[in-house]
Amino acid sequence: MPSEPTPVVLRGGTVLTVDAAHSVLPGHDVLVVGETIAAIGPDLSVPPGTVEIDATGGIVMPGMIDTHRHMWQTAMRGYGADWTLTQYFVWYYLEWGKVFRPEDVYAGNLLSAIEAIDAGVTTTVDWSHGLQTPEHADAAVDALTAVPGRFVLAYGNLQDAPANWTASPGFRDFVARRFPNGRGDDLLGFQLAFDVTGDPAFPEKPAFELARELGVPVTTHAGVWGATGDEGIRLMHEHGFMTPETVYVHSASLSPDSYHRIAATGGSVSVSTESEQSAGQGYPSTWALRAYGIPVSLSMDTSVWWSADLFSAMRSTLGADRSREHLEAHAKGDTVTHSSLRAAQVVEWATRGGARALGREDRLGSVEVGKLADLVLIRNERSPVMFPLLNPHGHVVFQAQRGDVHTVLVNGRVVKRDHELVGVDLAAARQAVERMVEHLRAQLGEEAWEKGMNPDIPETKILDNPYTYTDFRSASTHERRQEIR
C-alpha cells in the first residue's frame, strides 16, 4: 500500500471551485490532507510538515477529465494531421491497426498517460479499441498503472465484433485478473467500448448483456456521419440498453428523436470538438445538446491528429458553439448580441461534466471540501499571458495553455510541481515510443509509411470571376499606363 500523502496547501490563488454556483474565490488557500480537500479559505492554519505551494497570481481549479481518448494511438502523434475520418478508418481498421503489438499499445498508453497529467488532465478514459488480445489489454493496464494519474480502461477491439471478443475466454480471464471487483478502484476504472452499427439484427446485443452482467458502463461512438447513427440509438433504446451511465461519443449527426432518447434515459455525450470539426463526424454537437438538456463532457479523441489537452478542447468547443449560433442568426437576418454559451460552462464541461459522465460527481470535478484532491494550479511567472487575471473562467478557456500548468495533484499526491513532472520516467517512455515507431515503419515499408502520412490532395477549381478583364491583366504596366492616359 502506498504511504499517506504529505499534506499540501496551495496558498493565495484564485480558486475556480466549479461548484453548482460556479463560485470564484480570490486569495484563497486550498488545504489537502490525505486524499481529500480538507479546507478552503484565506490564511488557513495547516498541520506541521505541510508542503506549501505559492499560488499567488494563479488559478486553482479541479483536475480536468477527458472522457474519450484513444491512448494507444499517441505514439503516432501528428501522423494523420491531414486525414479525414475515412482515411483514419482505412488505416487503423482495415490496413495497419492489426500490426500493433502489445508493447506498442504499452508505449502509446504510457506516453498518453504522462502527457495527460502534464496538461492538468487528472482523469482520462482510455477508449482502448486496439486490444486485439488479452496480452494487448494487459499491456494497456500496465502502462496506465505505471503513471500517477487517474484512468478508466474502456476495453474495445476494432478487429473483431463486440459479441465475439466479449464472449472469449481470454477476455473473461482478463477481467477476473485485472478487475476482480468489477469496476476497478478509484485510480483505475473499467468500461466496455464498442459501437452499434444499426444492423436490424442488433448483433451487439450480447455485448450489452455482458456489460449488464458485469455491472459496467458502455461507451459508444454515436452520431458519426456514415458510420453510426439513429438506427443504433433506436436499437439500444428499444432493447433497454440506454442508461444514465452510457456515454455517447460525438453524437454529431443524430436526429431530434435520438437526442430525445438520450435525454430521456439520462445519458451524456462526450464532445471531441477538434475531431468533429476536422475529421467529419458532423458539426460539434453542443449547440444541439444544450437544446435537449443532455449533459456534456469533453474529450480530445486521438493524438494521431490533435493536441492532447483540454485547453484546446475548451477553446474549440466554445468557438464552434458560438460560430453555429452566429451562423443560424445571420441566416435569419438576425444578430446575436449576447452569447448563450459562457466560458464558465465550458470549464464545467471539462471538469465536473466529466465526473458526472463517469458517475463520480460526488468525489471529483470540483474544488469542494471532502472531495478527492485532484487539483491543477495554473501559474506561470515567465509568461506575459498570465496577467492581468480579470475573468478567471475566460482566462482558462482562451488564454491559458498546457505550458502554464504549474502544479498537479492526483488523489492528494503532487505529480507535477514547478512545471516539472514528479515520479515519471519520460526517458523510458521516449525509448518505448521510438521502438514502436521503428516497428511500424518496418511493417509498412517506407513507401506505405510516407503515403499514409501524406494522403492525396483532391483537385480544386477556382470559380470563374466575372470581374476579371483578361486584356487588362495581360497588358504590361507600361501599356496600361499608356491606355489610361
Side-chain angles (χ1 to χ4, degrees):
M1 293 287 292
S3 59
E4 187 79 359
T6 302
V8 176
V9 64
L10 301 167
R11 290 280 192 196
T14 295
V15 181
L16 297 192
T17 63
V18 196
D19 62 7
H22 291 167
S23 303
V24 178
L25 308 175
H28 275 52
D29 305 338
V30 179
L31 173 64
V32 174
V33 178
E35 299 176 350
T36 61
I37 299 169
I40 303 168
D43 303 317
L44 292 175
S45 298
V46 300
T50 297
V51 173
E52 303 225 3
I53 297 175
D54 184 8
T56 307
I59 297 170
V60 179
M61 63 179 290
M64 289 170 275
I65 298 174
D66 185 330
T67 52
H68 160 241
R69 183 181 301 200
H70 303 299
M71 297 176 72
W72 65 286
Q73 297 173 354
T74 302
M76 292 188 67
R77 185 192 311 284
Y79 180 90
D82 294 319
W83 282 356
T84 62
L85 192 63
T86 298
Q87 287 154 342
Y88 170 86
F89 283 151
V90 169
W91 203 96
Y92 277 111
Y93 284 65
L94 301 180
E95 292 182 341
W96 300 113
K98 58 185 175 293
V99 306
F100 282 71
R101 306 165 299 178
E103 54 263 48
D104 302 325
V105 169
Y106 179 90
N109 271 32
L110 185 66
L111 181 59
S112 186
I114 291 171
E115 74 167 339
I117 60 171
D118 183 62
V121 180
T122 53
T123 301
T124 306
V125 174
D126 177 21
W127 220 102
S128 202
H129 60 349
L131 307 183
Q132 306 171 59
T133 69
E135 290 73 27
H136 288 76
D138 278 315
V141 171
D142 288 345
L144 299 180
T145 55
V147 176
R150 198 183 299 276
F151 303 100
V152 176
L153 180 76
Y155 194 118
N157 180 0
L158 55 78
Q159 301 298 333
D160 198 5
N164 293 339
W165 61 259
T166 55
S168 69
F171 170 75
R172 292 279 194 156
D173 174 68
F174 168 82
V175 174
R177 286 187 293 105
R178 304 306 294 256
F179 296 93
N181 297 326
R183 295 189 177 204
D185 55 32
D186 265 355
L187 293 176
L188 183 65
F190 187 57
Q191 297 179 353
L192 295 188
F194 57 86
D195 295 339
V196 182
T197 63
D199 180 342
F202 197 28
E204 299 85 10
K205 183 181 178 184
F208 278 108
E209 291 172 337
L210 178 67
R212 180 175 289 168
E213 176 190 330
L214 295 175
V216 299
V218 170
T219 176
T220 184
H221 293 112
V224 175
W225 183 262
T228 58
D230 296 316
E231 280 305 294
I233 297 292
R234 183 185 64 79
L235 288 165
M236 289 175 63
H237 187 258
E238 291 180 356
H239 287 84
F241 293 121
M242 294 179 74
T243 75
E245 294 181 312
T246 308
V247 177
Y248 306 87
V249 177
H250 302 306
S251 299
S253 50
L254 293 174
S255 68
D257 181 73
S258 290
Y259 289 127
H260 278 307
R261 291 178 195 255
I262 293 171
T265 54
S268 65
V269 170
S270 177
V271 177
S272 306
T273 304
E274 285 185 294
S275 178
E276 290 127 21
Q277 286 177 319
S278 182
Q281 293 92 337
Y283 198 91
S285 58
T286 54
W287 65 279
L289 304 175
R290 291 192 294 112
Y292 291 91
I294 297 171
V296 175
S297 63
L298 299 184
S299 57
M300 57 71 51
D301 205 347
T302 170
S303 287
V304 79
W305 270 289
W306 302 289
S307 167
D309 71 75
L310 291 194
F311 295 107
S312 293
M314 286 187 283
R315 191 167 302 157
S316 60
T317 298
L318 194 57
D321 194 291
R322 288 178 176 177
S323 178
R324 180 87 186 210
E325 188 174 23
H326 287 299
L327 185 67
E328 293 192 350
H330 295 172
K332 296 182 290 187
D334 293 336
T335 297
V336 176
T337 58
H338 293 76
S339 295
S340 299
L341 182 61
R342 302 304 175 96
Q345 182 62 67
V346 178
V347 173
E348 180 182 307
W349 288 345
T351 53
R352 193 174 189 135
R356 186 181 301 118
L358 300 179
R360 301 298 312 280
E361 191 178 3
D362 61 329
R363 299 288 276 156
L364 298 173
S366 60
V367 185
E368 298 181 83
V369 172
K371 286 201 169 183
L372 292 172
D374 287 12
L375 299 170
V376 173
L377 169 61
I378 299 171
R379 182 172 185 259
N380 190 347
E381 294 183 312
R382 297 184 295 274
S383 171
V385 175
M386 286 309 296
F387 64 88
L389 181 56
L390 306 176
N391 178 344
H393 289 106
H395 210 102
V396 167
V397 175
F398 282 127
Q399 307 298 326
Q401 51 194 306
R402 65 186 309 148
D404 299 320
V405 174
H406 178 283
T407 297
V408 180
L409 282 78
V410 177
N411 223 36
R413 296 181 183 277
V414 176
V415 299
K416 184 178 184 180
R417 184 175 181 184
D418 294 327
H419 302 280
E420 295 289 336
L421 291 164
V422 176
V424 168
D425 192 345
L426 194 59
R430 184 189 301 273
Q431 291 170 2
V433 168
E434 288 173 348
R435 290 192 296 269
M436 178 265 194
V437 171
E438 183 180 354
H439 162 71
L440 275 182
R441 293 185 77 143
Q443 288 292 305
L444 273 68
E446 282 303 307
E447 183 177 352
W449 175 264
E450 291 297 326
K451 183 174 177 54
M453 194 164 27
N454 298 284
D456 295 336
I457 302 173
E459 262 188 63
T460 56
K461 182 182 184 300
I462 303 299
L463 294 174
D464 293 333
N465 190 333
Y467 301 105
T468 298
Y469 299 93
T470 53
D471 291 343
F472 185 78
R473 292 177 65 200
S474 62
S476 67
T477 302
H478 174 73
E479 290 170 339
R480 291 201 300 271
R481 285 175 179 165
Q482 293 301 317
E483 290 170 5
I484 291 169
R485 288 176 186 166

